Amino acid sequence: MTLPADTRPDSVTLRVAFWYWLKLGFISFGGPAGQIALMHTELVERRRWISEQRFLHALNYCMLLPGPEATQLAIYIGWLMHKTRGGILAGLLFFLPSLLILIVLSWIYMAYGALPLVAGILYGIKPAVVAVVLAAAWRIGSRTLKNRTLLAIAVAAFLAIAVAQVPFPLIVLAAAAIGMLGGRLLPAQFQVGGKHPDSRASYGVALIDDDTPTPAHARFTWPRLARVALGGLALGGGVWLLLAWRYGAAGALAQMGWFFTKAALMTFGGAYAVLPYVYQGGVEHYQWLGAAQMIDGLALGETTPGPLIMIVAFVGFVGAWSHAIFGAGGSMLLAGVAGACVATFFTFLPSFMFILAGAPLIEATRDNVRMTAPLTAISAAVVGVIVSLALFFGQHVFWQNGRIDGAAIVISAGACVALFRFKAGTIKLLAACAVAGLVLSYRHG
């Protein structure tokens, strides 16, 4: 039932909000753009829990932060409506379904991945992943690279990581430094890319409307900022110390906690941007998984709801399983679940801290170009990094056993046409490529 436009919706209980956020966690396919669109349709247009302007106000802030912006937007709206407990509830329910599904898929992959059926499905999906990553680079680039300065930053980032093999954190720091300098000397070249328009659309009176006063719990105070920030740091530090005490600071779980905390702080521009860093750490440095497994993990992550950064759960699961963290006689499944949960906890904890502690403070500076220029430069560098990721995946997918895999190239080319020309949905595309992989694998089997 649709309320009249001039009728304010009734107050929303935490119970009602719980069921909405749980439902969103199971249907949030389509990446951050699709997830944000789902929230806008339901919360702004249909239920009118929040007005268009307040929704965009929150979204613009989340776009400036490292981490998955759709998850942070859910935390923000949940926090605005039901205080800290509402924010925590919204954030947890947004990614918990994805975590549970990925744990099941990771177990199937590790236990039965060698079966012809599973191998055939992955054979079709992996070339499609190359196309999906290229489409992500195009999507972010078209929104970010508005001038030659930003384009030059993107090219330099590509060469730095693909040719010179510069670590991803150094690329981010260099881009931020360029942005800080450019924001002062050439501010017009570093306007925030991809900012959503200040639309005046109205769908009727909202529960949290344009003129609704900021609730008391959302007003900035230094004591509150310190209290929430210290609480988050104590929680993260306490969990890490517990893992280090029980399994050793050099153990896989403690290493995952520290590594995925750093990865969470590098996630500017979406999950695709941080994947090279996750690859460098998970595959090359810690050797939790192999390069082919990393590609398989991204393929699985693309087929599940929730934020794409949930691929960290796959990395944690495979790493803990492969390293038998509970000993040779321990349960491999329990080890994998522990690794997935640790990776997820440390990846998402910073997002909760950014919203619950910093939203009132950072919102006040979101239109200051000197504050946003470093993030604009980082977003430009991210485009080059994502292109290098597609190149890396292509090398591993198209070159098999010392020869070029023509069938994989054909599948990837078809996926590119479907994405760029016909704007195909990711899930339908991956399903079609999985079928193609099954057919080809059985024909050559």
Side-chain angles (χ1 to χ4, degrees), residues 224-238 345 349 353 357:
R224 183 186 179 282
L225 173 64
R227 186 169 62 250
V228 177
L230 290 175
L233 291 172
L235 176 61
F345 173 82
L349 179 61
M353 293 177 62

Side-chain angles (χ1 to χ4, degrees), residues 132-279:
V132 170
V133 175
L134 282 173
W138 175 262
R139 183 172 61 250
I140 298 173
S142 61
R143 191 178 68 219
T144 303
L145 307 181
K146 299 297 186 180
N147 54 60
R148 293 181 179 179
T149 301
L150 298 177
L151 179 61
I153 293 174
V155 172
F158 171 81
L159 295 175
I161 196 166
V163 179
Q165 298 183 342
V166 176
F168 181 65
L170 292 183
I171 294 175
V172 170
L173 291 174
I178 293 172
M180 290 180 65
L181 183 62
R184 295 179 179 276
L185 302 180
L186 299 168
Q189 298 290 306
F190 290 87
Q191 296 293 334
V192 177
K195 187 174 179 179
H196 285 242
D198 190 20
S199 170
R200 297 295 172 187
S202 177
Y203 300 93
V205 178
L207 186 62
I208 302 177
D209 214 345
D210 295 349
D211 56 357
T212 303
T214 301
H217 70 272
R219 295 172 188 158
F220 173 74
T221 63
W222 284 108
R224 183 186 179 282
L225 173 64
R227 186 169 62 250
V228 177
L230 290 175
L233 291 172
L235 176 61
V239 172
W240 188 88
L241 288 173
L242 181 63
L243 293 173
W245 170 75
R246 181 65 180 83
Y247 301 105
L253 291 181
Q255 288 178 335
M256 287 179 184
W258 176 238
F259 173 75
F260 286 112
T261 297
K262 293 186 293 182
L265 300 177
M266 296 290 168
T267 315
F268 291 97
Y272 289 107
V274 80
L275 286 180
Y277 181 60
V278 174
Y279 169 80

Side-chain angles (χ1 to χ4, degrees), residues 9 11 88-89 161 262 361 432:
S11 297
I88 294 174
L89 183 71
I161 196 166
K262 293 186 293 182
L361 174 64

Side-chain angles (χ1 to χ4, degrees), residues 42-60:
E42 192 72 17
L43 299 182
V44 177
E45 299 178 29
R46 291 190 63 249
R47 302 186 185 225
R48 302 210 311 264
W49 288 0
I50 188 169
S51 71
E52 172 88 353
Q53 293 306 305
R54 298 295 283 267
F55 183 91
L56 292 178
H57 182 84
L59 177 58
N60 286 337

